[in-house]
Amino acid sequence: MDTHESTFPLIISVDDHTVEPATVWQDRLPEKYRGAGPRIVRAPVKEMTFLGGRFKPVMGAPGDDGPVGDWWVYEDLRRPLTRLDTAVGYDRDEIRLEVITYEQMRPGSYDVPARLADMDVNHVQSAVCFPTFPRFCGQTFTEAKDHELGLLCVRAYNDWMVEEWCGPEAQGRLIPLTLIPLWDPELAAAEVRRNAARGVRAVAFSEIPPYLGLPSIHTDDWDPFLAACDETGTVVAMHIGSSSRMPSTSADAPPAVGSTITFANCCFSMVDWLMSGKFEQFPNLKVMYAEGQIGWIPYILERADVVWEENRGWGGVADKVHRPPSELFAEHVYGCFFDDAFGLRNLDAIGLDNVLYETDYPHSDSTWPKSREVGEAQMGHLDPEVVERIVRRNAIELLGLTDDGLWDGPR
């Protein structure tokens, strides 16, 4: 760890990211599927836009003019690695939407020893990492035509996550987050249990499943999956963008619009969950919102309580939501932030036990390598025991880590 004198606790980040090494699926898929499974191809970009919350890259043919990058190829999908996937180490004004190769990214994005070294620089002890190529909850495999192959890809990713990314080389400092086959809740439940049996305590899910063409949580469709999470103590982790539709206002709105309102889907999603009855149906269920920030939460809880109190009769929730939404939030929901001074000034209205810290390495929003300094500046008004709970203790308790803040590996 770094030797900077500081009383600021070592950070447990509940939202970082991994850029999967090029061989994750080629090393793990059955031989007959490797030609169809995800693989890296180096090729030029023909055109690439990111407007209205939609990312649209077009891969050029070998020999075409244009910047060359590494592309994931899988069925009809052509998805390039971009500077936005791994922007740390670059000046903010130099970060552009451009294709890159593995050689052009910081090695900590995909290499375990290099990641641990970058965590040391940033005063980070442990970290949960969301995917890149599968997207934040495995949408890539859900949208694929061949779901038999898709299931193998989900399992291959999870095996890599548990056995390699979070394997012995990680020294317990990388905390596994696994995927499910979103297209089949029964298979999803089986995958939750398979991974829980080897010590995994978090699974990625979509903030708004209907945006992916999937059932809403107001149906009973997800009950097998939710029951498995409830029984195994597996936290449902939802990252902004896990519905494949970033908030925006129009098809031509610049990315800055969506970047300002990235919390919006988390807000909508949280109201969905609070009004769904699922927290009463599954009393051990916990959900967390990665990169959603926390400053918006107090008003939404106030409004949800008013609606529940005054309008639950005609609002369609009287028969399934029997307690104020704010009480359900306190027992089941966690907000995650990396830069939210307003939220920190309103902790009493959110709940000290419901807040988690993150660094978002290696994305452009990341506070790396100054996450400690950002935290010190924003939490300087708080008592040390409060800071300890936000930066470490809540994550330790939620994710079942050791008292020292480490994942104790497959059990």
Side-chain angles (χ1 to χ4, degrees):
M1 294 294 165
D2 66 73
T3 57
H4 174 87
E5 288 190 14
S6 173
T7 58
F8 195 77
L10 284 172
I11 297 165
I12 298 177
S13 174
V14 296
D15 170 33
D16 286 0
H17 299 265
T18 178
V19 177
E20 300 78 20
T23 60
V24 166
W25 289 276
Q26 293 300 303
D27 284 350
R28 289 167 181 78
L29 288 174
E31 187 173 357
K32 71 173 184 175
Y33 284 109
R34 289 175 194 162
R39 56 208 180 276
I40 286 289
V41 172
R42 187 158 291 184
V45 62
K46 188 174 182 180
E47 61 178 286
M48 186 163 57
T49 59
F50 186 23
L51 289 172
R54 299 284 185 174
F55 177 45
K56 295 181 180 179
V58 180
M59 188 170 78
D64 284 355
D65 292 334
V68 172
D70 284 334
W71 296 67
W72 283 105
V73 175
Y74 172 53
E75 291 193 344
D76 296 332
L77 180 64
R78 304 293 183 267
R79 199 281 193 193
L81 298 178
T82 77
R83 179 55 61 209
L84 298 187
D85 294 327
T86 170
V88 291
Y90 285 77
D91 184 271
R92 302 253 177 188
D93 291 336
E94 295 176 357
I95 298 169
R96 300 282 187 271
L97 180 60
E98 59 184 353
V99 295
I100 59 171
T101 66
Y102 278 93
E103 290 79 10
Q104 293 171 307
M105 69 175 72
R106 193 171 182 88
S109 304
Y110 59 85
D111 178 76
V112 171
R115 172 60 65 92
L116 298 186
D118 278 355
M119 290 163 64
D120 288 345
V121 168
N122 201 31
H123 202 67
V124 173
Q125 179 188 30
S126 308
V128 175
C129 295
F130 283 82
T132 296
F133 170 70
R135 310 220 295 284
F136 294 146
C137 66
Q139 303 101 298
T140 295
F141 304 123
T142 300
E143 294 168 359
K145 300 182 183 71
D146 185 344
H147 277 166
E148 182 178 356
L149 172 57
L151 179 59
L152 291 172
C153 287
V154 167
R155 289 175 174 164
Y157 177 87
N158 291 341
D159 290 346
W160 169 79
M161 168 62 62
V162 173
E163 298 166 7
E164 190 166 332
W165 184 252
C166 301
E169 198 173 32
Q171 305 167 39
R173 297 177 61 189
L174 295 174
I175 305 161
L177 172 74
T178 51
L179 303 176
I180 55 169
L182 288 161
W183 59 91
D184 188 321
E186 293 285 355
L187 289 175
E191 190 62 12
V192 166
R193 292 189 172 96
R194 182 176 84 94
N195 293 308
R198 47 185 178 173
V200 176
R201 290 287 300 273
V203 63
F205 190 64
S206 175
E207 57 202 353
I208 307 178
Y211 284 178
L212 304 178
L214 299 169
S216 81
I217 60 163
H218 299 290
T219 69
D220 296 331
D221 295 65
W222 294 108
D223 285 3
F225 162 67
L226 298 179
C229 294
D230 179 81
E231 293 164 15
T232 60
T234 300
V235 179
V236 178
M238 294 171 282
H239 195 285
I240 59 166
S242 57
S243 57
S244 296
R245 189 186 302 179
M246 292 298 287
S248 191
T249 55
S250 64
D252 58 352
V257 172
S259 186
T260 302
I261 57 174
T262 50
F263 72 91
N265 282 350
C266 296
C267 174
F268 300 160
S269 175
M270 191 179 81
V271 175
D272 248 358
W273 282 91
L274 293 175
M275 298 297 188
S276 70
K278 297 304 179 184
F279 291 140
E280 294 182 73
Q281 186 178 353
F282 302 105
N284 298 315
L285 194 62
K286 309 284 189 184
V287 305
M288 57 170 269
Y289 288 99
E291 208 173 324
Q293 310 296 353
I294 59 174
W296 53 271
I297 291 174
Y299 172 71
I300 294 301
L301 293 180
E302 177 185 275
R303 178 60 184 165
D305 278 0
V306 169
V307 169
W308 178 82
E309 184 67 39
E310 298 183 357
N311 301 321
R312 62 180 178 265
W314 66 263
V317 296
D319 61 338
K320 58 184 179 180
V321 181
H322 304 105
R323 297 164 58 200
S326 61
E327 289 186 13
L328 298 173
F329 171 90
E331 295 177 10
H332 298 276
V333 183
Y334 294 77
C336 311
F337 78 99
F338 57 81
D339 185 6
D340 192 339
F342 182 82
L344 287 168
R345 291 196 300 270
N346 293 275
L347 279 177
D348 289 347
I350 300 169
L352 174 58
D353 294 340
N354 299 83
V355 175
L356 304 168
Y357 199 48
E358 58 186 42
T359 78
D360 197 30
Y361 178 106
H363 286 178
S364 60
D365 268 344
S366 178
T367 51
W368 185 92
K370 297 186 179 298
S371 298
R372 178 190 57 221
E373 289 85 346
V374 171
E376 287 173 333
Q378 294 193 346
M379 299 185 214
H381 65 292
L382 300 174
D383 291 337
E385 58 269 25
V386 171
V387 178
E388 170 78 16
R389 178 154 286 281
I390 291 172
V391 175
R392 292 182 57 78
R393 182 53 50 185
N394 287 342
I396 288 172
E397 294 174 0
L398 179 64
L399 298 170
L401 306 180
T402 69
D403 285 341
D404 293 329
L406 301 173
W407 183 58
D408 57 5
R411 297 189 284 275

